[in-house]
Amino acid sequence: MIGTMPFLILLGGDLDPTPRLLRQIAGARTIAADGGIRHAEPLGVRPELWVGDFDSSGSDMAAAWRDVPRQSHPPAKDMTDGELAAAEAIARGASGLVIAGVFGGERSDHAMGNLLQGAALRARGIPVLMTSGDEEGWPLLPGEQEIDLPAGSLFSVLALSDLAGLTLRGVEWPLTNRDVPMGSSLTLSNRVAGSEGLKVGLGRGNAVLLARPHFGTL
C-alpha cells in the first residue's frame, strides 16, 4: 500500500480485480471519477465521493450509487474527471494514490493522458501506482526506487525524456548507469529475475515503468 493515508481513484478504463490489486487497495479511501464507479462493486469498495460531468455513467449507476455524495462539473472544463478526482483526494490528505482503470478503454488519448497525469503527480512528490489489475504503471524519478513485482514479471521502461544514469538490478538484462534517449527501445521487454525484486536507479530524467505482474506469481 502507498503511504499512511492512501486513496484509490476509479477511472473508466479496463480493470481486473486480481488478488494482487485487492491487496494493494486494502484500507484505501475511494473516490470515483464518473464512469469509473462501475469498478466499485467488483473491487468491494464504497466511494466517499463521486466526481465528474457524469457523461459516461448512466441512470442505472446513478440509481445504484445514489447515496454516494456527488461533485458535479460541466462537460466544458479544463480538467478531466480523473484529474478532478485526484485533486480532491490530495485536498483530503492523500499520502499516495492507486489510480485504477488507467489503461484500455475506448480512447487511447485518455489512456495516454492518464499515464502522463500519473507521472506528473509523482513529479510533485506524490507516490502513485497506476493499474488495470493485469498491468501496472510505476512513474520513475531521479534517485533509487524499489518496485514490488514478483519474479518473472514482464516490464518495460518508457522514457518520457532523455534519461541519464539508468540502472536496473534484479532483472534478466541489467543496466548500469546507462543513458537512454527518449524513444529508445533499449528498455523494452525485460523481466524481474528473482525474489529480491526490482531495483531502479535514475540519475536524470522522467520515465514510467510498465509491468505485467501476472507473468510471475501472485
Side-chain angles (χ1 to χ4, degrees), residues 9 82-83 85-87 90 96-97 99 114-130 139 141:
I9 305 298
E83 285 181 283
I90 293 166
L97 301 175
I99 307 177
N114 292 336
L115 195 69
L116 293 173
Q117 179 199 355
L121 288 166
R122 184 69 189 93
R124 290 170 51 190
I126 302 162
V128 173
L129 164 62
M130 297 174 284
L141 293 177

Side-chain angles (χ1 to χ4, degrees), residues 32-35 50-58 69-73 81:
D34 202 347
W50 191 5
V51 173
D53 54 27
F54 303 103
D55 63 348
S56 58
S57 50
R70 295 173 62 157
Q71 185 184 96
S72 297
H73 296 265
D81 295 332

Side-chain angles (χ1 to χ4, degrees), residues 122-218:
R122 184 69 189 93
R124 290 170 51 190
I126 302 162
V128 173
L129 164 62
M130 297 174 284
T131 181
S132 69
D134 295 318
E135 186 172 16
E136 296 177 359
W138 299 83
L140 303 176
L141 293 177
E144 300 289 328
Q145 187 171 344
E146 292 190 24
I147 308 294
D148 176 22
L149 289 169
S153 296
L154 181 68
F155 75 92
S156 297
V157 175
L158 302 183
L160 303 181
S161 67
D162 291 343
L163 305 181
L166 178 66
T167 296
L168 299 174
R169 301 191 303 276
V171 301
E172 281 192 25
W173 295 282
L175 293 178
T176 301
N177 200 31
R178 287 290 297 270
D179 292 344
V180 181
M182 181 178 175
S184 171
S185 62
L186 173 67
T187 51
L188 296 182
S189 297
N190 208 332
R191 285 188 187 273
V192 178
S195 58
E196 71 275 10
L198 167 60
K199 297 178 177 60
V200 181
L202 183 59
R204 186 175 68 252
N206 291 282
V208 174
L209 187 148
L210 293 182
R212 292 274 182 173
H214 304 298
F215 275 82
T217 60
L218 292 177

Side-chain angles (χ1 to χ4, degrees), residues 83-106:
E83 285 181 283
L84 292 166
E88 186 62 35
I90 293 166
R92 294 180 180 219
S95 60
L97 301 175
V98 177
I99 307 177
V102 169
F103 306 107
E106 297 180 354

